[in-house]
Structure formats: C-alpha cells, structure tokens
Amino acid sequence: MRNRSLTALLFGAILTIQPLSAYAEDLVMAVKAGADTADPQYSSLSPTISEMRNIYETLIAGDAKQNPTPALAESWKAVNDTTWEFHLRHGVKWHNGQDFSAKDVKFSLDRVPQAAGPASYLMYTRDIQKVEIVDDYTIRITTPHPAANLPSSIGRIFIVNADVVGKLKGAELNDPAKAIGTGPYKFVSWTANDKMELTRFDDYWGGKAPWKNVTIREIPNDSARMSALLAGDVDFVNQVQPADVGMLEKRKGIKVFSGPSAFNFLLFTDMRKTSPKVTDKAGKPLDTNPFLKPEVRQAISESIDRQLLVDRLMDGQGSVATQAVPEGIIGYNPSIPKPVYDPAHAKELLAKAGYPDGFGVELTCTSDRLPNDGRICEGLGQFLTRIGIAVKVNAIPRSVFFSKRAAGDFSLFMHGWGTVTGETSQVLEPLLHTNDRAAGAGSWNVYGYSNPKMDADVDGANQQIDPAKRKAMLEDAMKLVVSDRAMIPLVNINTITAARSDKISDFTPRLDEDTLPWFIKPAK
Amino acid sequence: MLGWLIRRVLQAALLVLATTVIVFIGLHFVGNPIDILVSPQADSVERLRLTKALGLDLPLWRQYLRFLDGVAAGDFGISFVYGQPALRLILERMPATFELAGAAMVIAVGFGIPLGLYAGLRPESPASRLVMGASLFGFSLPAFWVGLMLIFCFAVRLGWLPSSGRGATVSILGVRWSFLTLDGLRHLILPALNLALFEISLVIRLTRAGVREVLPQTFVLFAHAKGLSDTRVIFVHVLKNILIPVITVVGMEFGSLIAFAVVTESVFAWPGMGKLIIDSINLLDRPVIVAYLACMVVIFILINLIVDILYMVLDPRVRK
C-alpha cells in the first residue's frame, strides 16, 4: 500500500499528461486477426467478416446462436422450387444519406466475381442464375435447380452502394468517401495489419449503437493482447487463451465471457486401401490399412477420455463433442449419445481386428491454429499408446499442415473445424461427402471415405426447400458419419473474450466468434 | 572511387537476385498457399480459380520469370492475402520500423558510450563491475521475455506507459511519425528500450575495450605531457579514436536491429514490417515475403556502403 502511494506521488506528473482519448463512450477492442482489405466482398473469412459487419450489412444476419434473423431483407420465401423472393427493408439509409433499394442488392450480387479475393464469396453465388428487380423493395432470384441453401448463402454477402462503388474494388474502397455502408458504424480509417477506426452512424435503421467511436486493433500475439487489456490500453479482447482464464477471473476489474463456439476438434482416419504413415511396431510400412477395419476406428474412439482433455488440457474451456458440430447448429442430432471411454474394451477390439499388439502410426495436428491444438495432440498420442498403438505425434504449423493434408500425406490427423454458417452441410459436404470433382463436393475428403446413403442425404438436403424435411435429412447424415466413425468427434472449443468491467457490463459470446460492438454492453 | 561504387552496386544487384531465387524455391517447398488461403467451404472449382488467379498453375521457373519481369518494372507482385502491391505494403510499414530501430540506436549510443567510457577509465571500481555484469544480462536475456517483463512492470503493474501500439502520429511528407507527439513518444519508449538492450551491452563492451586499448598508447601520454586537461584528453583524443570501431559495429548492427525488430514488434504490437512479415509467413503470402527479403538485402547493403564511407571520413589512414 505504501509502495502504491509513493508511486502515485512520484509519478502523478506522468499520469496527468496521459492523453484523454479514453472517453466513456468510446470502445477500443483488440482482436487476434483483422480484416484483409477494405472491400467487403473480397474475403469470406471470419476476421474480415467480423470487422465488415460494423460498416456493411447482409440481407440476412444471424443471432448469437446462428439462427437467421432479418437484416436488409425483412422476409424471404420460395415462390417455387427454383425461385426465391426477398422483400427488402424500407427506410434504410446509406451512410451518405441515400436510400437503400433493390438496385443495390442486384449490383452487389453481380459484383461478387469482380471483387473476389483468395477466400471469395463465389461458392455462395454459384446457384444464382438470374437476379431480377421486381420493384424497389422486392428482388427475385432464380436458380438452375432447387437450392435450399440459397437464403443462407446469399444472406452472407455484404450489400454495397451501387452508385458509390461502381467499378471500384479492393484497396480503392479504403477511403471514408467510398466505404459507404448501411451498418451501425461509419468507416473512418483502416490500415492492414494494424487497426480499423469507426464512428457511429446515428441514422441506423436498427437504432443507435451504444458506443460513439470504436477502434479495432489487431494484436496477433496472445500475451501482448492480454497485456493491452491488463494495462488498460484496450477495453475488450477476443481469443483469450484458455490457460489465461483463471488468472483473468481472479483479477479485479476484468470480466471474462466464455461460451460455446462453432469450432471443434475432429480426428480423421485414412480410409484408403493403403496409408502412407502406418507401420508395424518395428516401423516397417504396412501393406494394408488398419483403419479400414471398423473395430480399429471404434477402438481409437473408446481409448480417448474426452472429459479429461477438456478438464486438463483445455482448462475446462470446452465440452465433449458427440458429433461433427456443436449443439445449436441446424442438423445437430440430439439422439447421438456421448462417446464411450473404455480403454480395456478398446484393446479387445484391436485384438479382434487382428492387431493384438497394435501398430505404428503418425498422428498429425496443427500447432498454431486453434487454442491448445498442440497440447491436445500430445494427449491423444498418450491415450492411443495406452491401448498399444505406437503413435508418433507430429504437431506442425498450419502453413505446412494444410498443404500436406490436401496432398493426402496423412494417416491419422486432427482437424479443427468451425461450422460458421450454422448448418451441418458446411462440415458434411466438404469433409465427408464422397470426393466428386465434377459436382464440387467432398473437396477436402481425399482420404477415401464414401457412404452413398450419407451422400444422398447431403445432396437431398441441398435441394430440399422444406426446412423440417431438410433438417431431418441432415440429422440422418450426421448419424451415419458418427456410426461409421468417418471422423471421431473429440471436443468442442469455447470462445472466450474478456473486458474491463468499469467500461463493459456484459457480452454474449457468439457461436461464430464475431465480436460486434453493439453486442458489447457499456457499464452503467 | 567511382569504379569501386559501380562494383558495389553490381554486387548488390547480384545478391538481391540470388536471394529471390533461394526464397522462391524455398517457399515453394514449404507448402501450397492455396490450401491456406482458400475458404474452408471452397470446392475444387473455386480452388482452380484461385490457383489460376494467383498464377500458381504455372511451373516454378515460369512463375519466377514472371516475377522478374514485374520487378524490372518495379512491381514485386500483388500480395495474395491483401490484394495490394507487396512492395507498397512493406514501404507503408517501413517508417514505423525505422523509427523503432532509430530510437533503439539512439538509446544504445546514449547509454552505451558514457557507461563504457566510465567502465574503461575506472575498470576496478564497483560501479564499473556492476555495469559490466549488467551488460552480460543484456547480451543473454531473450528479447521476447524481456519485452513481456517490461510490459508487465511498466504497463500492467505501474501503468506508467502503454503496453502496445504506436499512439498518435504526425504526418510529415506523407509519412507518419510517432516520436513527434507526446503520446507517440510514450508508446515508443518500451519497445525501443527492449530492442536496444542488446545494443547497449554491445556498445558498452566495445567502448570499454577501446578505451583500455587507447589509454596506454603514446599519443595519450604525449597529450598529457603537453599539459592538456584530463577532460580534453578523454573527450577529444581518446573518444575520437575509439569511435571508429564503435561506428563500424553500430552501423552494421542497425541492419540487424531492423531485421530483429520482428520479435519486439510482435510483442508490442508495433505496426512495422516485422509484424507484417510474421503474418505473411504464416499465410505463405509469397510476394510479400520475397519483397520483404529483397528490401532487407538492399538495406543491409546500403548500410554497409554508408559505414564504409563513414570509415573513410573518420579514419585518415584508410583513405590512403
């Protein structure tokens, strides 16, 4: 205590010259990753989307649990199997005072190919055959075949101002006069890799946002981001590391908000005839692939104590996964039971499959992508070793992991996945559908899993306009991949954010991990 | 002199060329950027589009020729991630890094030379031993850890200084500088000190060694015999002589300061080139990585050139 007052006395002078920029109405956030560009249609990756949502809006938004909510479209319906009609919101103003109307929507949907960056929105517009303006507030979209995903797909595309944007794209939109949206915040400035500055749009149709000025700073280094919060440089941080939660919760003046995210860890086994990284115990390559035996896959699943992974390796910040998506996502099947943990039985299963002494395999994971990925990988290695499988754990940077994964270099690998669209088809179609280049399905499934029944469910769901039937098909597909053990679900990851409690009273974590200022409630 | 300069420039050009070849081939083996850049939902059609759009469908040697073709026109390619010219992305961040490295150098020389001088003149005093002992820590402690400790002490515990970022900046000739505002200066202190730590120790040791070497020489004895005051002997005659090796090493070190700023920049979220390059390596953003390394080589060569010239100016013996 004496120390403190001495400090205050001696350095009061320094404190008084601190700039008075931190007004109560202003919010400074620090995020792990920020936008890649100022063009809202350039990148469909979460960090860019999360920042763009401040300035631009989509036809359909999602609530914290990813349920679709009306945004620029007030309602939408299927007129027939191949035609969708969207009724647009009246009285929406652009930041420059112009009225929002159907021509902006058509312009924006047509612009997607020109604006496309590496992670483009082209997958979302592929089903569009024609966009027609019926009147100023009605738009009609025709598809070549029934496309149940259309609303959720085009609902993700940011709508830009037809008059202002014209032929501009990419960095040309990094200008307050050009970055005109309809969102709750107006663009002030943006610097790649550094920060975005926003100011409130007072004529926003959804009512005034709580913070007047918002600064979103990009601080990728986890310790640096936490220090910025503790030092009071920022009011809110995202992507808190699970290991830091205990320390933050004990600190006065800091609040931690933790909740389920759309991200989880799934374990995949190679299902091709032969597999590159399996050997016998002596290290000689095997000419058959043990993972083709269902008993081996079951044994692997039963050897893992998932609750222990959550409690010890994830510091309690997660939950046991029963399937490929966490609860709340459309197509999550509530009838699937919790996976069994029974290492003794797992050993028996291995023996039954013809591997009483186990075999050798390399387990590959990322080491720098999602919280604790490397640690969980090591934990898995130990579980598998206990039932006799000699595991070589190989946790590698994502820049190397993804290339090797796509090249089919793995035999057993853990993949983190986020179902950010809120629909199971986003995980089932690319990861588990039979690899079919012509149809564009199963693009990540180069490891040979194929179940025609599950393909039929996923394909059928894509064409099924009736939401109830569609949900039933996706739930059935989920049941099939779980009982096939086409992937072995491990754990769901929590999204953790933290804030200074003198400025922020509450925040509801979202499944998609977006941190939107108007969901951050000011204190008082 | 002119021939020497031309030779140096030619050498430099060859070096840059060699660097780009090595980096190009090396990056090719690390991984395929498509797998990291593409959206998780992308299908094969989308992957193909991206591969074509980024020019990665061509064989490596043709990609390299295309790159050279661009470089001849001053274009290092478009960043895969940001969709902006790679060179521009780097040049935009260069002032921040130069500012940080410059401030570190000022700190290193400002503290290093007086302390080293003292330690050299009074090698047996306890204070000198303390300085020399402390300099060992400066050499051996990892910058990453020291950075976190500085943040912990001065930003988190004491709250005197901000923990990260650049603060307010003033724009001069279109370039933003933060050392001209009070807020910017407060943001600059910790990262600059962190970066300077190694250099302070280096300058202390160099200066001390220089002083110990020069003091017993006859010209110092002669100066004393002429009846000059101690201050004049030390600050004019001794200092002038020890400055030559110090300037050489400090100059060379300026290059490594810029290159090693990577660690400090990521700990202090300083928006310089280092932060950009780390992100680019993680995302395999080839054009940015190649352009950054080419810039680094050019900077190193320029610094060496300047040091050589300074050397000639300072030491009449070299000019002969």
Side-chain angles (χ1 to χ4, degrees):
Chain A
M1 220 36 231
R2 233 189 86 196
N3 216 347
R4 279 247 174 115
S5 50
L6 190 71
T7 309
L9 260 176
L10 279 171
F11 293 94
I14 292 181
L15 289 175
T16 47
I17 53 172
Q18 216 160 354
L20 295 167
S21 60
Y23 296 112
E25 260 194 296
D26 294 347
L27 176 70
V28 184
M29 292 161 54
V31 295
K32 190 174 171 88
D36 289 340
T37 162
D39 187 331
Q41 296 189 324
Y42 176 85
S43 167
S44 65
L45 297 182
S46 314
T48 305
I49 293 179
S50 185
E51 284 192 7
M52 288 302 165
R53 276 200 192 286
N54 292 295
I55 308 161
Y56 299 94
E57 288 185 289
T58 49
L59 289 178
I60 303 167
D63 65 7
K65 292 277 166 234
Q66 289 295 69
N67 297 308
T69 52
L72 288 178
E74 263 176 335
S75 65
W76 54 96
K77 62 167 195 285
V79 183
N80 57 45
D81 268 4
T82 56
T83 313
W84 287 86
E85 206 167 78
F86 291 81
H87 296 279
L88 306 180
R89 192 176 292 279
H90 291 251
V92 174
K93 289 256 182 244
W94 291 100
H95 294 160
N96 63 1
Q98 285 180 311
D99 284 317
F100 158 78
S101 78
K103 74 168 192 317
D104 298 310
V105 177
K106 182 174 163 51
F107 172 80
S108 302
L109 294 180
D110 292 342
R111 180 178 180 267
V112 168
Q114 281 100 59
S120 76
Y121 281 93
L122 285 167
M123 303 88 70
Y124 299 118
T125 55
R126 190 159 299 143
D127 284 337
I128 299 177
Q129 190 170 47
K130 203 167 59 177
V131 183
E132 283 170 280
I133 298 174
V134 178
D135 60 51
D136 269 359
Y137 293 96
T138 314
I139 204 140
R140 196 174 284 165
I141 296 173
T142 327
T143 61
H145 46 80
N149 271 330
L150 189 87
S152 92
S153 291
I154 71 157
R156 297 179 68 76
I157 292 163
F158 286 110
I159 304 302
V160 294
N161 186 312
D163 299 329
V164 175
V165 171
K167 284 204 160 41
L168 302 176
K169 66 176 188 175
E172 290 162 341
L173 290 176
N174 190 3
D175 172 356
K178 305 282 159 47
I180 300 293
T182 58
Y185 284 93
K186 289 191 282 190
F187 179 95
V188 175
S189 78
W190 174 75
T191 322
N193 226 267
D194 184 17
K195 65 181 172 189
M196 177 177 264
E197 290 175 308
L198 303 160
T199 181
R200 183 166 60 202
F201 177 44
D202 289 332
D203 292 330
Y204 180 57
W205 60 266
K208 266 201 212 174
W211 307 96
K212 189 161 191 313
N213 298 298
V214 174
T215 307
I216 306 173
R217 287 180 50 194
E218 212 177 305
I219 310 184
N221 185 287
D222 294 322
S223 326
R225 202 162 60 254
M226 289 314 116
S227 312
L229 176 74
L230 294 177
D233 294 347
V234 302
D235 309 315
F236 183 93
V237 292
N238 79 345
Q239 303 279 351
V240 173
Q241 291 302 297
D244 290 337
V245 171
M247 176 269 292
L248 288 175
E249 273 174 342
K250 273 192 222 113
R251 267 191 104 95
K252 254 175 61 190
I254 302 284
K255 263 190 184 170
V256 178
F257 309 102
S258 174
S261 79
F263 286 80
N264 55 15
F265 286 122
L266 307 171
L267 186 64
F268 286 83
T269 54
D270 191 359
M271 307 267 228
R272 292 168 298 182
K273 279 242 161 54
T274 54
S275 191
K277 300 278 158 64
V278 286
T279 58
D280 63 8
K281 279 256 174 145
K284 267 208 327 230
L286 287 180
D287 46 4
T288 52
N289 180 357
F291 297 119
L292 286 174
K293 297 240 164 110
E295 292 90 353
V296 173
R297 304 201 297 271
Q298 192 183 345
I300 290 175
S301 176
E302 290 188 6
S303 72
I304 303 162
D305 184 351
R306 294 163 172 83
Q307 194 57 51
L308 194 78
L309 291 180
V310 172
D311 294 341
R312 296 288 167 78
L313 299 184
M314 303 171 77
D315 301 273
Q317 299 298 323
S319 61
V320 170
T322 60
Q323 49 198 290
V325 294
E327 200 177 342
I329 306 274
I330 298 169
Y332 170 87
N333 191 331
S335 74
I336 297 175
K338 271 202 172 180
V340 191
Y341 166 57
D342 188 348
H345 186 238
K347 262 188 154 157
E348 282 170 35
L349 283 168
L350 271 186
K352 220 172 104 190
Y355 298 97
D357 300 326
F359 53 91
V361 68
E362 186 179 299
L363 167 66
T364 322
C365 318
T366 52
S367 59
D368 60 350
R369 182 164 172 251
L370 291 166
N372 291 325
D373 44 7
R375 282 175 88 185
I376 291 172
C377 197
E378 287 164 25
L380 288 177
Q382 292 187 18
F383 282 128
L384 293 174
T385 310
R386 285 224 312 240
I387 62 161
I389 301 176
V391 174
K392 222 174 94 193
V393 173
N394 189 15
I396 53 180
R398 62 177 171 162
S399 49
V400 185
F401 179 90
F402 282 104
S403 302
K404 294 203 164 191
R405 187 205 184 289
D409 259 7
F410 302 155
S411 290
L412 183 65
F413 61 97
M414 184 178 87
H415 196 169
W417 189 265
T419 313
V420 286
T421 58
E423 283 223 16
T424 46
S425 53
Q426 195 217 328
V427 50
L428 297 177
E429 192 171 326
L431 284 175
L432 295 156
H433 191 288
T434 308
N435 187 287
D436 181 350
R437 273 178 188 274
S443 55
W444 289 72
N445 180 14
V446 294
Y447 289 90
Y449 171 70
S450 174
N451 181 342
K453 263 200 194 145
M454 127 82 204
D455 291 351
D457 271 340
V458 173
D459 297 340
N462 281 346
Q463 307 216 338
Q464 182 51 257
I465 307 285
D466 181 352
K469 283 186 193 157
R470 180 177 155 67
K471 190 166 159 257
M473 284 169 141
L474 291 173
E475 285 181 10
D476 187 58
M478 185 60 81
K479 211 171 133 191
L480 288 171
V481 295
V482 171
S483 61
D484 281 351
R485 295 197 173 77
M487 50 82 217
I488 296 163
L490 297 172
V491 286
N492 299 318
I493 306 168
N494 272 12
T495 161
I496 315 165
T497 51
R500 297 193 71 80
S501 50
D502 56 340
K503 289 222 20 205
I504 289 158
S505 66
D506 198 16
F507 173 72
T508 314
R510 293 168 57 91
L511 271 185
D512 60 10
E513 305 201 49
D514 281 358
T515 46
L516 307 171
W518 57 98
F519 287 106
I520 300 173
K521 287 208 187 74
K524 279 167 280 163
Chain B
M1 178 76 186
L2 191 68
W4 172 79
L5 207 63
I6 291 172
R7 219 167 42 237
R8 287 292 288 257
V9 169
L10 275 178
Q11 273 173 4
L14 270 174
L15 207 55
V16 172
L17 204 67
T19 313
T20 58
V21 172
I22 295 169
V23 174
F24 231 79
I25 296 173
L27 283 175
H28 182 73
F29 284 110
V30 172
N32 183 353
I34 302 289
D35 298 313
I36 294 165
L37 296 170
V38 82
S39 151
Q41 289 94 283
D43 52 26
S44 42
V45 183
E46 173 65 9
R47 291 175 62 95
L48 208 66
R49 175 197 73 85
L50 185 58
T51 312
K52 276 226 171 82
L54 300 182
L56 296 172
D57 51 338
L58 302 172
L60 192 64
W61 63 272
R62 282 197 53 193
Q63 286 181 40
Y64 185 70
L65 285 186
R66 236 169 75 159
F67 164 77
L68 281 190
D69 197 39
V71 171
D75 171 15
F76 275 79
I78 304 284
S79 156
F80 292 167
V81 175
Y82 301 106
Q84 288 180 46
L87 196 61
R88 200 174 82 199
L89 277 171
I90 289 164
L91 292 179
E92 266 174 18
R93 279 158 191 73
M94 211 179 255
T97 300
F98 268 82
E99 185 173 20
L100 186 60
M105 211 78 251
V106 169
I107 294 177
V109 172
F111 282 94
I113 290 185
L115 287 176
L117 211 60
Y118 180 80
L121 292 172
R122 292 195 175 68
E124 300 303 326
S125 84
S128 298
R129 287 171 190 272
L130 188 75
V131 167
M132 295 316 287
S135 77
L136 263 185
F137 279 100
F139 268 124
S140 41
L141 290 177
F144 189 79
W145 182 82
V146 174
L148 287 176
M149 284 302 119
L150 285 175
I151 293 178
F152 182 75
C153 292
F154 295 101
V156 176
R157 296 273 358 171
L158 299 170
W160 297 348
L161 295 165
S163 71
S164 60
R166 214 177 160 195
T169 50
V170 176
S171 187
I172 293 176
L173 298 172
V175 179
R176 299 186 310 143
W177 300 102
S178 52
F179 74 99
L180 295 169
T181 70
L182 193 60
D183 182 46
L185 217 53
R186 293 178 72 247
H187 279 83
L188 187 60
I189 294 174
L190 285 186
L193 186 65
N194 182 223
L195 192 59
L197 223 53
F198 181 87
E199 306 302 324
I200 297 177
S201 313
L202 188 68
V203 174
I204 289 178
R205 295 200 153 242
L206 270 174
T207 314
R208 179 182 179 271
V211 173
R212 305 292 307 144
E213 198 188 301
V214 170
L215 275 186
Q217 286 185 25
T218 41
F219 78 88
V220 178
L221 204 66
F222 177 67
H224 279 297
K226 251 179 30 176
L228 295 176
S229 71
D230 272 2
T231 13
R232 190 164 163 85
V233 174
I234 293 165
F235 288 99
V236 177
H237 299 283
V238 175
L239 201 62
K240 230 186 199 168
N241 275 279
I242 58 169
L243 230 42
I244 295 168
V246 169
I247 281 183
T248 318
V249 175
V250 161
M252 303 290 205
E253 280 295 312
F254 191 69
S256 21
L257 268 184
I258 291 169
F260 286 122
V262 172
V263 176
T264 300
E265 282 180 10
S266 70
V267 173
F268 288 90
W270 187 262
M273 295 186 290
K275 195 162 164 274
L276 177 76
I277 193 66
I278 287 281
D279 290 356
S280 300
I281 290 171
N282 281 333
L283 295 169
L284 291 181
D285 195 344
R286 278 186 207 170
V288 177
I289 303 174
V290 174
Y292 173 82
L293 290 171
C295 282
M296 276 299 134
V297 172
V298 171
I299 289 172
F300 265 89
I301 291 167
L302 274 180
I303 290 172
N304 279 357
L305 196 69
I306 293 170
V307 168
D308 279 353
I309 293 170
L310 268 183
Y311 205 78
M312 282 197 248
V313 174
L314 280 173
D315 193 343
R317 283 168 297 185
V318 180
R319 257 174 282 169
K320 282 185 200 145

